[in-house]
């Protein structure tokens, strides 16, 4: 006998929110389930498996477009997997770029934190002085020359 799940049961079984499951259906990432006589969605084991696959891919921070491509590959088991390798290689490049960006952010915060090493009054806080100076377009401790954040423009 095939197990049939309602959407709430499927959500609990997969750890994916009901609204997210509906979104995946609406965008075609998840095939539409059969409907019971009362109109309720009737999810099958294949839905559970596909949602587990999607969830694992999302845990690897893959985009929905990339997940869709991977799901398409599952439909063509005889196809060459070079494109899958390229997809994962591209994801690795994105992750490495984010890591480098996060390390730069860490260095900036360490530099900023170094401006206020001892507790004192807010009026003398080196961190706030740096942030206010940067807001006025001045150089700040946390950004190397030439890498200052853009100065906000007043709306026109």
């Amino acid at each position: 006998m095939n197990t049939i799940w309602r959407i709430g049961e499927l959500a609990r079984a997969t750890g994916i929110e009901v609204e997210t499951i509906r979104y995946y259906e609406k965008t075609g990432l998840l095939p539409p389930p059969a409907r019971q006589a009362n109109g309720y969605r009737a999810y099958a084991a294949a839905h559970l498996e596909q949602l587990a696959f999607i969830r694992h891919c999302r845990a690897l921070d893959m985009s929905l477009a990339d997940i869709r491509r991977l799901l398409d590959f599952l439909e063509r088991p005889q196809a060459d997997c070079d494109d899958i390798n390229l997809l994962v290689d591209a994801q690795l490049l994105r992750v490495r770029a984010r890591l480098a960006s996060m390390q730069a952010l860490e260095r900036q915060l360490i530099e900023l934190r170094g401006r206020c090493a001892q507790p004192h009054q807010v009026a003398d806080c080196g961190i706030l002085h740096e942030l206010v100076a940067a807001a006025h377009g001045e150089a700040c401790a946390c950004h190397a020359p030439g890498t200052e954040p853009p100065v906000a423009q007043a709306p026109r």
Side-chain angles (χ1 to χ4, degrees):
M1 181 172 107
N2 292 338
T3 302
I4 301 295
W5 288 280
R6 288 188 177 170
I7 196 165
E9 296 166 332
L10 190 67
R12 282 187 294 281
T14 61
I16 298 174
E17 297 288 329
V18 167
E19 289 305 315
T20 303
I21 294 171
R22 287 187 181 131
Y23 177 77
Y24 291 164
E25 283 178 40
K26 186 173 87 173
T27 61
L29 201 60
L30 186 68
R35 295 282 183 158
Q36 296 175 326
N38 59 7
Y40 288 154
R41 293 171 170 94
Y43 294 93
H47 291 100
L48 181 71
E49 183 178 319
Q50 190 154 333
L51 282 171
F53 179 88
I54 293 168
R55 183 170 187 217
H56 187 80
C57 291
R58 292 297 290 153
L60 296 171
D61 204 30
M62 292 184 176
S63 70
L64 295 180
D66 284 347
I67 295 169
R68 183 179 314 280
R69 288 181 59 207
L70 291 171
L71 288 168
D72 289 343
F73 281 112
L74 287 173
E75 299 288 322
R76 300 178 288 125
Q78 302 305 316
D80 187 21
C81 73
D82 282 346
D83 286 338
I84 297 171
N85 294 336
L86 292 173
L87 186 144
V88 171
D89 289 344
Q91 181 64 10
L92 273 169
L93 287 174
R94 286 189 292 273
V95 167
R96 288 176 179 147
R98 263 200 340 263
L99 282 170
S101 176
M102 294 302 291
Q103 289 169 337
L105 176 60
E106 178 187 35
R107 289 189 298 274
Q108 291 171 333
L109 288 169
I110 289 169
E111 185 65 36
L112 185 61
R113 180 61 179 91
R115 298 298 176 172
C116 193
Q118 300 297 322
H120 38 68
Q121 292 182 340
V122 169
D124 298 322
C125 178
I127 293 172
L128 287 179
H129 284 255
E130 290 294 325
L131 293 173
V132 168
H136 290 128
E138 301 170 21
C140 63
C142 55
H143 289 89
T147 64
E148 287 84 12
V151 177
Q153 300 293 318
R156 295 178 187 211

